[in-house]
Amino acid sequence: MLDMRRMQILRAVVSSGSVTAAARHLGYTPSAVSQQMAALEKEAGTPLLERTGRGVRPTDAGLLLADCATTIGRHVAQAETALADLRAGRTGRISVRYFATAGARLVAPALARLRSEHPGVQAELRLTDPDDPLPEVKAGRTDAALVVRRHDAPPVDGIRFVHLLDDRYRAVLPRAHPLAARPALRLTDLAEEPLVGSELPGPCLDAVLDACGSAGFTPDFVVDSGDYATAQGFVAAGVGVALVPEMGLLAPSASDGHPELAVREVHDPEPVRSIWAAVRATAPEGPVLRGFLGALRGVASQAQAGGADPA
Amino acid sequence: MLDMRRMQILRAVVSSGSVTAAARHLGYTPSAVSQQMAALEKEAGTPLLERTGRGVRPTDAGLLLADCATTIGRHVAQAETALADLRAGRTGRISVRYFATAGARLVAPALARLRSEHPGVQAELRLTDPDDPLPEVKAGRTDAALVVRRHDAPPVDGIRFVHLLDDRYRAVLPRAHPLAARPALRLTDLAEEPLVGSELPGPCLDAVLDACGSAGFTPDFVVDSGDYATAQGFVAAGVGVALVPEMGLLAPSASDGHPELAVREVHDPEPVRSIWAAVRATAPEGPVLRGFLGALRGVASQAQAGGADPA
DNA sequence: CCCAGGATGTAGTTCTACTTAAGGCTGGCT
DNA sequence: AGCCAGCCTTAAGTAGAACTACATCCTGGG
């Protein structure tokens, strides 16, 4: 097997035309270069240099190997720059799993921000509903997943959770509903109302059920729609009232809402779902993943601020 | 600088998915592989493998470097096969300098024979008249040169001479010439004849002059043509008689000669020019050059035999 | 709860790569 | 012709790299 190190030395010898010059150029003694050339000739099984009194001349085989060394050296240099690009975040790939309402309001702007900082990064997005993305994260099949999760949920082994925002639920009512006259509601105000369910069993629905439970009632779901948009359609049609997290609202701000819908804050208690980013605990955090998490946090804090005091 | 050796080990680790398996595959202990990977990670400045309880998984950078290692390994393998081809004579290049009469009768058939044995060999032929090819050979600008040279000529430093054949001179006469009646001539028979010179000053002409000198006369050149074909034209036109080496004869055999020319052997003494191949003494004789010299010798001995007893 | 399999440290050995020092060769100079 | 300078090589010795053996730690499964 040919040794690359020696082939690079051969290249220096051939290009400079003498062992001594190559040694000077490489910072070695001529003896070292000479020995390496002898070893390479033994490896190659054929003479590579011809001693010509003053200096050496490459033999045909020597010229061939020197040429090969040049192209291989170029490839190694390419590998090095590719590695440097990867380390600096100029290139890279990130795989993200997200759930429906997080896509438009969190992942999309975060990725836009990431790609403005790191234009060469490729992203692979995948909607994870209704599967649990955590095994994917743990197995390394994806780099990050957005999940809804209680603050007091037990830690998951091998996964690190980064808190992004607390997504507060709002009451969505028909504009003509008597409760819509009030600027804000108490959760118990909805105890007797027919509710339009918008969530499948899972942490989101749990957040609602927990809040209602601590308010002392069990919500009366008259319809179960699988998603927030459909639920709000039911509300507009007068079927009932819905509890929808801010990120799921059709009209993000309460002021310029849907013509037939009213959105009101809910308190005592305010149902909240916590949104987290889940990353593998053992993952070496490269610039790309770090940048993406930072972008997510930035987008989330803006969203929280914008939602907290509606303009 | 990335170390190729370690990158190949990384490739084995990535492809087998575990340090231990790679070690088994490479004939090392797991510890050795682990240490090399740690060293490579330090070189790369970034983690390349992620420890996942059971086994290791390559990180993005690790995958990148492993891919690069694969392509580089392929290039090294290509270099090795190219070298093997060169060593086996399947490829190669040979540069030959020759003089006019040697071209058709020696070099061409020898090269044909060489290329039938080594089809991939490229040849670079160059007519060397009237320059001296020996400096070219000595400087390595050409691999072999055909030269005419006396047997007792002094050795030339750094050049090895391989004897190919002794090219005997024949008398070329008009068919009607009185001497043409004899089956063979003595050199002194030509002492009084008008001679057509066919050679420029040099070793060929020297051979003729030497023979005539030892026969006791100085040839009387009435015309000086530069080449054998022209000289024989002069003879056919009746201008005189010519001494032409066998390889320079228009009709190689005496029996089926030119309609107006007679070719007769000359003895006492018979002028002879010796044809040699000159190669660099320090040149490592590869299969191509060795094959070419062998082919030359083979062709020459056939020519000598064919000329010695004309069928 | 222990065990098998894997990865990684540590100490020691072997091998490689380099240096220093000396020798041999070539080519040019005087 | 003879000396000298430059270059390549060999020999011996040394520093460092690479590998092994052994011990330890961790993980996943019975």
Side-chain angles (χ1 to χ4, degrees), chain A residues 23-98:
Chain A
R24 246 194 316 269
H25 191 259
L26 295 170
Y28 293 153
T29 58
S31 175
V33 174
S34 177
Q35 290 176 52
Q36 293 305 311
M37 290 303 93
L40 187 60
E41 286 183 338
K42 208 165 60 180
E43 281 181 1
T46 190
L48 302 174
L49 297 173
E50 189 184 331
R51 285 72 190 168
T52 102
R54 197 79 96 188
V56 292
R57 83 166 25 254
T59 201
D60 281 359
L63 220 50
L64 170 71
L65 282 194
D67 285 352
C68 291
T70 304
T71 75
I72 292 174
R74 200 165 41 231
H75 279 265
V76 173
Q78 280 179 6
E80 281 172 345
T81 66
L83 179 64
D85 284 351
L86 194 66
R87 285 182 52 191
R90 285 189 289 276
T91 64
R93 169 180 297 273
I94 187 169
S95 158
V96 179
R97 307 288 163 106
Y98 63 98

Side-chain angles (χ1 to χ4, degrees), chain A residues 182-209:
Chain A
R182 302 209 219 144
L185 311 182
R186 306 189 68 225
L187 186 55
T188 49
D189 295 336
L190 304 178
E192 307 300 326
E193 295 287 332
L195 289 178
V196 178
S198 51
E199 292 163 328
L200 302 174
C204 296
L205 182 56
D206 288 346
V208 173
L209 295 181

